[in-house]
Amino acid sequence: MADEDEIILSELDDDELVAQMHDDLYDGLKEEIEEGVNILLGRGWTPYDVLTKALVEGMRIVGIDFRDGILFVPEVLLAANAMKSGMFILRPLLAETGAPKLGTMVIGTVKGDIHDIGKNLVSMMMEGAGFDVYNIGINTDVDEYLAALEEHKPHILGMSALLTTTMPYMKVVIDTLIERGMRDDYTVLVGGAPLNEEFGAAIGADAYCRDAAVAVETAKEFMAKKHNELAAG
């Protein structure tokens, strides 16, 4: 392993460095990610490129291996933490450069459920893809969702559940939106291990997302559709 420690990030060319950052992210190496981010910025990379090519792409690989059972929750949390430290450097720079913002999302785990790993992974991936994300936490009841929708006026509402017993609460939230005539104002995405497409359709969600990578792609598709409708309208 001694040789492993000898990799000097600043001596790698851009492609090698990005590949190394994917590995470091996979291994949850926080300091190396911070160093890599700073090196790329120092070489004139835009914050947006560092974010998408080094961090988001690295997390996409982590997400796929998590889905396929190669990585487990503790490793994903380490990777997410490493990404967070990179994001910490990039966030103020992204705000300054006016990196393209795709839309806004409110996301929470539904009432009765205290699982937040999947939801937090989705939040980070969505942020990385250019969304403003308001993560309103776990055990979220309908009033908390409504308050967040009122406050942040998002395009997308994300709900997560990991227990079969809490899944039906998603329908409570959607039904409340319907009652209040607000349902069409939002794209509702749902996710979590016990869910599937049939369940998503049955409760009236716009889409079921089986993992964080799918959530990002789905959100992008819905935003593109919305833009096209506005342009056409």
Side-chain angles (χ1 to χ4, degrees):
M1 281 301 286
D3 290 345
E4 279 292 299
D5 299 336
E6 298 308 308
I7 293 175
I8 297 174
L9 295 179
S10 57
E11 291 178 359
L12 302 176
D13 70 27
D14 287 8
D15 289 347
E16 291 168 335
L17 178 54
V18 167
Q20 183 59 43
M21 285 173 76
H22 293 167
D23 288 350
D24 289 345
L25 201 52
Y26 198 90
D27 296 335
L29 305 176
K30 211 167 152 179
E31 283 161 18
E32 285 81 347
I33 289 298
E34 289 170 359
E35 189 186 341
V37 165
N38 284 321
I39 291 168
L40 288 174
L41 290 170
R43 291 182 185 174
W45 277 51
T46 67
Y48 186 69
D49 278 348
V50 177
L51 177 66
T52 49
K53 293 177 183 166
L55 299 185
V56 175
E57 181 53 29
M59 266 328 260
R60 194 181 68 79
I61 299 163
V62 169
I64 288 168
D65 280 3
F66 178 52
R67 180 189 75 206
D68 295 344
I70 298 162
L71 284 179
F72 298 98
V73 165
E75 291 131 323
V76 173
L77 287 180
L78 281 173
N81 242 347
M83 173 158 178
K84 224 177 239 171
S85 62
M87 288 279 289
F88 187 75
I89 299 167
L90 292 173
R91 192 174 280 127
L93 302 172
L94 287 164
E96 277 170 34
T97 53
K101 273 285 164 237
L102 293 181
T104 307
M105 177 185 208
V106 160
I107 187 170
T109 302
V110 295
K111 185 179 175 183
D113 209 315
I114 56 168
H115 292 87
D116 65 354
I117 288 146
K119 166 182 66 67
N120 291 350
L121 199 54
V122 170
S123 298
M124 289 188 44
M125 295 280 284
M126 291 286 285
E127 275 201 345
F131 285 85
D132 281 325
V133 179
Y134 297 95
N135 185 339
I136 56 174
I138 53 175
N139 193 19
T140 311
D141 68 22
V142 69
D143 291 334
E144 290 171 280
Y145 278 115
L146 289 171
L149 293 175
E150 177 59 37
E151 183 182 348
H152 303 299
K153 313 243 180 308
H155 305 95
I156 296 169
L157 169 61
M159 291 189 283
S160 160
L162 208 69
L163 304 171
T164 48
T165 49
T166 59
M167 285 163 53
Y169 197 79
M170 293 178 166
K171 185 167 174 1
V172 173
V173 176
I174 292 173
D175 285 350
T176 306
L177 292 178
I178 293 169
E179 278 164 26
R180 300 197 172 201
M182 299 161 61
R183 173 63 188 89
D184 295 341
D185 298 345
Y186 311 102
T187 295
V188 179
L189 304 182
V190 296
L195 280 69
N196 56 33
E197 294 205 0
E198 288 73 25
F199 177 78
I203 62 168
D206 288 292
Y208 151 75
C209 306
R210 75 167 184 273
D211 60 38
V214 172
V216 170
E217 288 316 308
T218 308
K220 280 183 175 171
E221 281 164 24
F222 275 105
M223 290 311 298
K225 221 186 284 180
K226 202 164 260 187
H227 284 306
N228 292 341
E229 282 166 12
L230 289 174

